[in-house]
Amino acid sequence: MVAATLCGITDPQQVKRSICAMGHKWLWNPGLGGLPSQDFLTKLDPLLAGVRAKLDGTFATSDQIAGRLSPSWAEKLGLKAGIPVPVGAFDAHWDAIGAGANEGDVVNVVGTSTCIIAYVKKAELIPGVCGVVQGSVHPQFTGVEAGLSATGDIFSAIASRANTTVAELGKGLESYHAGQTGLLRMTWDNGDRTVLVNPNLGGMTLGWNLQSTAQDELFAAIEGTAFHTRIILDQMREYGAPTLRVINGGGIPQNNPVLNQVYANVLGKPVLVPSSKVTGIGSAIFAFLAAGAFKTIEEAQKQICPTHTVFSPDAQAQKVYDQLYALYRRIYFDFGTTVGSSRFGDVLPTLIKIGRR
């Protein structure tokens, strides 16, 4: 809509719709006939009756031109009319490009929540991953989107309950060792986005004793978000989207070396952190492509993207985290789902239901 507005396009049929937006939010998939059927959409919610026809039109990747800047908007913005405007996409997806991601890389955009972005030549539909879309991140690859429903928000909630800030509570965490708190923190405080896709879960901390502190819980929560990320990456690998490199983008990693080192130790891979902020760089790259300044995304990335600081895994910490991950994975599926042999899948949803009642 923003691109169409800037270009002065008023006929909905002339609007080029973003494959990124339509694929990840409207389930558009060319291999499955485009949008879901109208019967499905109406069954999902009667409010969506007739919406399929309204969403008809041209679907395009961000290397295509949505239109050209209209004279009226050029005057308002102090720019030249006719400037090419590329088809848009979502911020986190372009952040992955701006972070210097290549084929097979995974970018964790870590902020209040975490958006996990990857692109591969070809990937199957991945159970529990609600976004696998051809061309959504890089036009020539299949984009994969997953994530955690809360990350920084969990850290903030822990600090708030301790009547302090995350920055204050985090002082000294660099001296913590893997697993030393004796706590295992499930990061479901805002439900589970991937891979259980279950909003009716709650945060859970195992192993409390009388000496446990809020700082212990904060460190365990950092470990917990890393374990959850590992579960997601394991699922992606199983269905054709292996992780070659891990890049931690977003606002938190550039200010939290402890988190980056824990992620490297838990994931067993070097974690690369951009040396400067990447917000807007992906958008600029597609603008440069539209203007003809660069021929390919890769050429633009080499010139524009920042260098990376590398956090390498510690072998001893990795051994400890492999043990803890086995426990985390058991609890994750036993408490998070009612399928199979789970005996505890109803506990957290029932607590939420009783609390609301």
Side-chain angles (χ1 to χ4, degrees):
M1 187 188 74
V2 174
T5 300
L6 290 172
C7 297
I9 299 171
T10 57
D11 180 358
Q13 294 298 317
Q14 301 302 313
V15 173
K16 287 188 178 177
R17 302 183 184 277
S18 164
I19 277 179
C20 180
M22 299 308 296
H24 288 287
K25 301 304 179 188
W26 278 97
L27 307 180
W28 181 85
N29 186 312
L32 299 175
L35 289 165
S37 70
Q38 185 56 63
D39 288 344
F40 168 84
L41 293 169
T42 305
K43 186 176 180 181
L44 181 66
D45 192 324
L47 184 66
L48 299 177
V51 74
R52 199 177 192 277
K54 294 178 182 178
L55 291 175
D56 198 12
T58 303
F59 297 76
T61 49
S62 294
D63 57 344
Q64 298 185 45
I65 304 302
R68 295 184 176 274
L69 189 64
S70 69
S72 61
W73 274 101
E75 184 179 353
K76 291 176 185 177
L77 297 173
L79 298 172
K80 184 178 178 181
I83 292 173
V85 179
V87 175
F90 288 136
D91 50 359
H93 299 69
W94 272 355
D95 279 352
I97 298 292
N102 305 134
E103 178 190 359
D105 291 346
V106 165
V107 179
N108 300 315
V109 185
V110 186
T112 54
S113 60
T114 296
C115 198
I116 297 174
I117 302 292
Y119 59 88
V120 294
K121 269 295 182 187
K122 188 176 181 180
E124 305 172 42
L125 296 179
I126 303 170
V129 175
C130 297
V132 180
V133 180
Q134 176 63 40
S136 67
V137 182
H138 189 300
Q140 277 76 55
F141 295 88
T142 298
V144 180
E145 177 191 1
L148 280 64
S149 296
T151 306
D153 278 346
I154 294 175
F155 306 156
S156 295
I158 292 169
S160 178
R161 288 193 289 268
N163 198 29
T164 186
T165 64
V166 175
E168 282 298 315
L169 196 58
K171 290 179 179 178
L173 285 185
E174 63 276 1
S175 65
Y176 273 59
H177 298 291
Q180 80 167 53
T181 65
L183 302 176
L184 199 60
R185 182 68 158 77
M186 309 305 294
T187 51
W188 287 329
D189 300 48
N190 197 35
D192 182 287
R193 178 183 176 191
T194 315
V195 297
L196 299 176
V197 198
N198 185 352
N200 294 312
L201 296 173
M204 191 165 62
T205 305
L206 302 178
W208 287 109
N209 62 46
L210 296 177
Q211 284 74 47
S212 298
T213 66
Q215 190 173 51
D216 292 340
E217 187 188 6
L218 178 60
F219 188 73
I222 292 172
E223 293 175 322
T225 61
F227 288 137
H228 193 167
T229 300
R230 181 169 169 179
I231 280 180
I232 294 169
L233 299 191
D234 283 353
Q235 184 85 340
M236 288 167 57
R237 183 188 69 247
E238 185 178 345
Y239 288 88
T243 302
L244 300 181
R245 296 192 306 172
V246 176
I247 301 175
N248 271 6
I252 291 178
Q254 289 176 349
N255 302 302
N256 195 324
V258 170
L259 179 139
N260 298 317
Q261 188 60 56
V262 168
Y263 273 52
N265 296 339
V266 168
L267 301 177
K269 293 180 179 292
V271 168
L272 285 63
V273 179
S275 56
S276 60
K277 292 183 179 180
V278 300
T279 303
I281 292 180
S283 176
I285 285 174
F286 282 102
F288 279 126
L289 290 177
F294 296 105
K295 293 181 179 179
T296 67
I297 289 172
E298 291 74 19
E299 180 189 351
Q301 285 177 314
K302 288 178 182 178
Q303 294 294 323
I304 297 172
C305 294
T307 58
H308 297 109
T309 301
V310 180
F311 292 80
S312 299
D314 175 81
Q316 187 57 42
Q318 199 176 331
K319 289 180 182 178
V320 175
Y321 282 138
D322 283 345
Q323 285 183 287
L324 289 174
Y325 178 63
L327 295 176
Y328 188 95
R329 191 174 176 88
R330 279 171 53 195
I331 295 164
Y332 180 88
F333 289 104
D334 272 354
F335 275 87
T337 179
T338 56
V339 301
S341 58
S342 169
R343 294 177 294 161
F344 307 107
D346 64 328
V347 173
L348 294 173
T350 302
L351 285 174
I352 291 174
K353 185 183 294 185
I354 291 172
R356 287 174 178 167
R357 190 170 67 221

